[in-house]
Amino acid sequence: MKIPELNDGALLPLAESFYSIQGEGYNTGKAAFFIRVGGCDVGCSWCDAKESWNPGLYPPTPIETIVEEAIRYKAKSIVITGGEPLTYPLDKLCLLLKSNNMQIFLETSGSHPLSGVFDWICLSPKRKKPPLDNIYRYASELKVIIEKSEDFEWAEENRNKVGSNTLLYLQPEWSRRTLILPEIIDYVKNNPVWNISLQTHKYINIP
Ligand code: SF4
């Protein structure tokens, strides 16, 4: 993956941005402006944002342009997602969003160093490129994607690394949801520290 020259995060390869409703995890149901940053070197086989992997496909966009659009909407919540947004230093983007009184939620695999300031960090660990050790303590929620039975073990491995206040979610991999959901339901009934997260935006057909 060739990272474009981005002036230390003053520019970001913007794959898309849109105003919608957060569909997953703790903030499900909240209106938010989504900033999807292009570029990811993790390579999950079931990724539903594969078109965002190559950062070279997206124009390096000044953060001022991104924030100008973000603050036009009524909701004051921002979801920064990808791709893997922590591929880039996010301090400048977060600073500018914060100076406009926005709440910032991050969606990350945790596989790159943490930068920026956030009101909520959703850590979604991926086997292909696991989180860096020092990011676990900052996770507001841990969201583990369950594709097959072995993933429950992976979920527990990650649970052992987060703080005691981190909220815990298991989310079915979308293409296998019909097969795997009954197992997740049983698992959560037997291990009630976990909650189920569903990709509700896909059920209601919104981005
Ligand atoms: S980390 Fe996220 S964006 Fe990257 S390949 Fe995996 S699911 Fe896709």
Side-chain angles (χ1 to χ4, degrees), residues 40 42-44 46-49 52-53 82-84 109 126:
C40 183
V42 178
C44 307
W46 40 260
C47 177
D48 60 3
S52 72
W53 287 4
E84 173 45 70
S109 66
K126 305 296 177 341

Side-chain angles (χ1 to χ4, degrees), residues 171-192:
Q171 180 171 292
E173 194 280 299
W174 179 253
S175 68
R176 292 195 23 98
R177 64 192 182 284
T178 316
L179 285 168
I180 202 71
L181 201 47
E183 273 189 62
I184 298 177
I185 293 168
D186 277 350
Y187 194 87
V188 169
K189 282 159 83 177
N190 287 316
N191 302 275

Side-chain angles (χ1 to χ4, degrees), residues 64-205:
E64 290 78 8
T65 308
I66 299 173
V67 174
E68 246 168 54
E69 198 201 342
I71 60 177
R72 273 199 225 131
Y73 297 94
K74 283 196 172 171
K76 296 296 158 209
S77 303
I78 304 291
V79 177
I80 303 181
T81 187
E84 173 45 70
L86 290 181
T87 307
Y88 314 99
L90 296 179
D91 310 85
K92 289 180 177 170
L93 174 64
C94 290
L95 208 62
L96 197 53
L97 287 167
K98 277 287 159 204
S99 69
N100 283 280
N101 300 316
M102 306 305 274
Q103 270 204 314
I104 316 173
F105 308 151
L106 175 69
E107 298 277 331
T108 181
S109 66
S111 59
H112 288 259
L114 184 61
S115 57
V117 283
F118 302 97
D119 297 281
W120 194 265
I121 295 180
C122 173
L123 176 64
S124 186
K126 305 296 177 341
R127 283 176 191 274
K128 285 221 162 181
K129 194 167 183 197
L132 302 177
D133 280 341
N134 59 6
I135 205 168
Y136 283 95
R137 77 183 89 142
Y138 299 108
S140 316
E141 71 179 286
L142 175 70
K143 183 176 70 189
V144 183
I145 311 305
I146 305 291
E147 182 192 14
K148 47 191 183 314
S149 308
E150 299 89 274
D151 292 337
F152 292 110
E153 212 174 292
W154 169 243
E156 295 298 345
E157 270 173 46
N158 282 281
R159 174 189 159 198
N160 288 335
K161 296 181 180 176
V162 295
S164 54
N165 291 328
T166 303
L167 301 180
L168 303 171
Y169 290 93
L170 300 175
Q171 180 171 292
E173 194 280 299
W174 179 253
S175 68
R176 292 195 23 98
R177 64 192 182 284
T178 316
L179 285 168
I180 202 71
L181 201 47
E183 273 189 62
I184 298 177
I185 293 168
D186 277 350
Y187 194 87
V188 169
K189 282 159 83 177
N190 287 316
N191 302 275
V193 290
W194 290 98
N195 303 278
I196 293 181
S197 167
L198 296 174
Q199 291 182 293
T200 56
H201 54 296
K202 295 187 179 177
Y203 287 96
I204 60 178
N205 255 324

